[in-house]
């Protein structure tokens, strides 16, 4: 679907992907960041749009929180990552006077800002644009979907953790996608077991297999599982890509499998 009129800023973006979950704290931003950086390491041109207006964490997990957004003739120029030249990032976190400032906005103002991110950011040529969303199915999600549907949403990656308390909420996100006719690329089970940094054994702290069962229940693809790994925590704190910084980590192959699954679905 071609981007037209006010959405021409997205005209050179090949694939637009939502990263969703009905539950907070399941690692959407971590999964978004690692998928984006893994693909950028492969030479793909990748954008990440953070629409978590009240809790923007993408700038930190991608190591660009001290960067500034610049204005150009066509709109805002997204922040480029020095570590990953093929990666561009946009977030309200870049626009706040202080990292500690709270965003106390009602729905209409959030909706307006999200539309501006989708119409006034000069993304340029991109193979993939990942949209990192807050938990739930509220204003931010509706605003993103209503705007992106005018230019085409390629699909959603749904992130969950294995335990039932997460699966219950994530099920609502699956139904959200179905109601709004958003293609579901698949489910990622995050925090699926803990990898000991000493013996490299895996312990199912939060159980395992819930994501796969969810995918089977709703007859949607299962993209794979990503374990709890101290190396992933370091990457999130220091803005690194696991595949690059910790190539021997047990989490590298699961992340690569998820990235490959996403690319395969979008071919």
């Amino acid at each position: 679907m071609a981007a037209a009129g006010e959405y021409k800023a997205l005209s050179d973006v090949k694939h637009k992907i939502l990263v969703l979950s009905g539950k907070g704290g399941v690692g959407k931003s971590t999964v978004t960041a690692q998928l984006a950086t893994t693909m950028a390491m492969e030479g793909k041109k990748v954008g990440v749009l953070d629409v978590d207006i009240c809790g923007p964490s993408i700038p930190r997990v991608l190591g660009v929180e001290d960067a500034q957004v610049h204005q150009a003739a066509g709109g805002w120029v997204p922040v480029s990552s020095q570590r990953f030249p093929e990666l561009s990032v946009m977030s309200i976190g870049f626009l706040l006077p202080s990292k500690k400032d709270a965003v106390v906005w009602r729905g209409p103002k959030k909706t307006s800002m999200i539309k501006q991110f989708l119409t006034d950011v000069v993304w340029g040529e991109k193979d993939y644009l990942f949209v990192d969303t807050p938990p739930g199915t509220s204003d931010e999600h509706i605003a993103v979907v209503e705007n992106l549907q005018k230019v085409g949403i390629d699909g959603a990656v749904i992130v969950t953790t294995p335990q039932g308390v997460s699966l219950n909420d994530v099920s609502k996100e699956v139904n959200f996608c179905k109601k709004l006719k958003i293609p579901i690329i698949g489910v990622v089970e995050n925090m699926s077991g803990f990898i000991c940094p000493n013996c490299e054994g895996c312990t199912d702290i939060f159980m395992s297999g819930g994501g796969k069962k969810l995918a089977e229940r709703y007859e949607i693809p299962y993209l794979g599982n990503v374990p709890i790994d101290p190396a992933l925590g370091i990457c999130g704190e220091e803005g690194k890509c696991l595949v690059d910084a910790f190539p021997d980590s047990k989490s590298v192959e699961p992340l690569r499998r998820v990235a490959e699954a996403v690319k395969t679905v979008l071919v």
Side-chain angles (χ1 to χ4, degrees), residues 147-204:
N147 283 281
L148 279 183
Q149 280 182 331
K150 297 173 183 177
V151 293
I153 302 173
D154 288 271
V157 172
I158 296 179
V159 182
T160 187
T161 51
Q163 66 272 45
V165 69
S166 174
L167 298 172
N168 286 343
D169 288 342
V170 175
S171 295
K172 298 170 186 174
E173 201 75 49
V174 174
N175 287 323
F176 171 83
C177 290
K178 289 181 178 293
K179 284 182 179 179
L180 294 181
K181 296 180 172 55
I182 303 167
I184 298 175
I185 296 170
V187 175
V188 177
E189 180 177 293
N190 195 30
M191 305 185 197
S192 182
F194 167 71
I195 294 180
C196 175
N198 297 314
C199 69
E200 296 189 344
C202 185
T203 302
D204 293 331

Side-chain angles (χ1 to χ4, degrees), residues 63-138:
V64 291
E65 63 178 339
D66 294 323
Q68 293 183 334
V69 171
H70 298 286
Q71 191 78 23
W76 285 324
V77 178
V79 167
S80 296
S81 168
Q82 292 184 344
R83 185 172 280 136
F84 310 105
E86 302 295 340
L87 182 64
S88 302
V89 187
M90 188 63 196
S91 170
I92 196 171
F94 299 130
L95 306 178
L96 300 176
S98 167
K99 299 170 191 173
K100 297 180 181 178
D101 283 358
V103 178
V104 188
W105 291 355
R106 294 186 185 276
K109 194 166 184 180
K110 291 181 182 180
T111 299
S112 176
M113 175 57 71
I114 289 170
K115 182 175 182 179
Q116 196 168 358
F117 281 156
L118 295 170
T119 58
D120 294 347
V121 175
V122 186
W123 290 107
E125 292 186 5
K126 290 286 178 286
D127 295 302
Y128 301 96
L129 175 65
F130 289 96
V131 182
D132 185 45
T133 67
T137 54
S138 57

Side-chain angles (χ1 to χ4, degrees), residues 34 37-38 41 83-84 229-236 238-249 252 255-256:
Q34 292 304 314
T37 53
T38 297
M41 289 286 297
R83 185 172 280 136
F84 310 105
D229 186 345
L232 265 175
I234 293 171
C235 288
E238 299 180 1
K240 295 179 178 178
C241 174
L242 185 78
V243 173
D244 177 49
F246 298 95
D248 297 326
S249 166
V252 166
L255 272 171
R256 277 186 169 148

